[in-house]
């Protein structure tokens, strides 16, 4: 749930795109290999929406065009709107030190687990159908909602979210295990620099 529109290419953004493309090209079979991938990623059994609200720090993500403008401190803030949907406010620091932000809405599609949502942002392609299928699946949660792993039915996206800008090694082990359980490879995820946390961009499997 962290889509940021790319405003303009930068040299560092270009290098990041090259790294992202090389990583995905080398590891693309991990997206579709095996029975777990064929079945689709499973949501957590039950998501307490009230506990999931608030601010999350993005600590790693599968590279996508919409987040290449973000250099560090990518955050998502979730609140309930008057209609009972989740209001989404994403922001990050760009490569030139500026700020990039976008607002959207997330609707719960799966009323059983409440862990599959449809996220919509204005002027973002492929989100024209408000009654569409889920594109945001919470597949794992840490203790007391301290961290979360999010992907989509196709496994083309992925986010590691945390309440804090850093995780200890035991938590990272759990995160990597959750990514693999969802049918993805941790090598597809690049770390997201945060103030007070990881300061480099690298495949999560090399951390």
């Amino acid at each position: 749930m962290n889509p940021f529109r790319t405003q303009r290419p930068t040299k560092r953004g270009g290098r990041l795109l090259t790294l992202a493309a090389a990583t995905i090209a080398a590891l693309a079979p991990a997206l579709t290999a095996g029975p777990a991938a064929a079945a689709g990623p499973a949501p957590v059994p039950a998501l307490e929406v009230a506990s999931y609200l608030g601010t999350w720090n993005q600590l790693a993500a599968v590279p996508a065009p919409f987040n290449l403008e973000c250099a560090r401190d990518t955050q998502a803030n979730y609140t309930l709107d008057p209609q009972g949907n989740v209001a989404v406010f994403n922001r990050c620091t760009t490569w030139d030190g500026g700020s990039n932000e976008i607002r959207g809405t997330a609707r719960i599609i799966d009323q059983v687990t409440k862990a599959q949502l449809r996220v919509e942002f204005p002027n973002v392609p492929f989100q024209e159908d408000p009654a569409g299928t889920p594109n945001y699946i919470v597949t794992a949660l840490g203790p007391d909602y301290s961290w979360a792993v999010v992907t989509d039915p196709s496994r083309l996206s992925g986010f590691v979210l945390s309440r804090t800008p850093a995780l200890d090694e035991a938590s990272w082990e759990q995160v990597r295990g959750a990514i693999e359980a969802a049918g993805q490879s941790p090598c597809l995820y690049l770390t997201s620099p945060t103030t007070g946390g990881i300061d480099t961009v690298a495949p999560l499997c090399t951390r």
Side-chain angles (χ1 to χ4, degrees), residues 152-173:
D152 66 88
S154 67
R155 295 182 175 83
L156 293 178
S157 69
F159 306 97
V160 176
L161 307 178
S162 171
R163 295 299 191 181
T164 58
L167 290 175
D168 59 27
E169 187 51 42
S171 296
W172 274 118
E173 284 293 333

Side-chain angles (χ1 to χ4, degrees), residues 104-186:
T105 301
R107 294 180 304 102
I108 297 171
I109 301 298
D110 176 1
Q111 295 299 327
V112 176
T113 70
K114 299 190 185 301
Q116 300 188 85
L117 300 92
R118 176 76 181 181
V119 184
E120 302 160 11
F121 290 95
N123 303 316
V124 174
F126 310 113
Q127 294 184 357
E128 295 84 359
D129 182 6
T133 57
N135 58 7
Y136 183 101
I137 302 175
V138 181
T139 63
L141 287 166
D144 299 322
Y145 289 61
S146 57
W147 56 262
V149 174
V150 178
T151 185
D152 66 88
S154 67
R155 295 182 175 83
L156 293 178
S157 69
F159 306 97
V160 176
L161 307 178
S162 171
R163 295 299 191 181
T164 58
L167 290 175
D168 59 27
E169 187 51 42
S171 296
W172 274 118
E173 284 293 333
Q174 293 177 332
V175 166
R176 286 189 285 266
I179 290 172
E180 292 175 346
Q184 292 178 302
S185 167

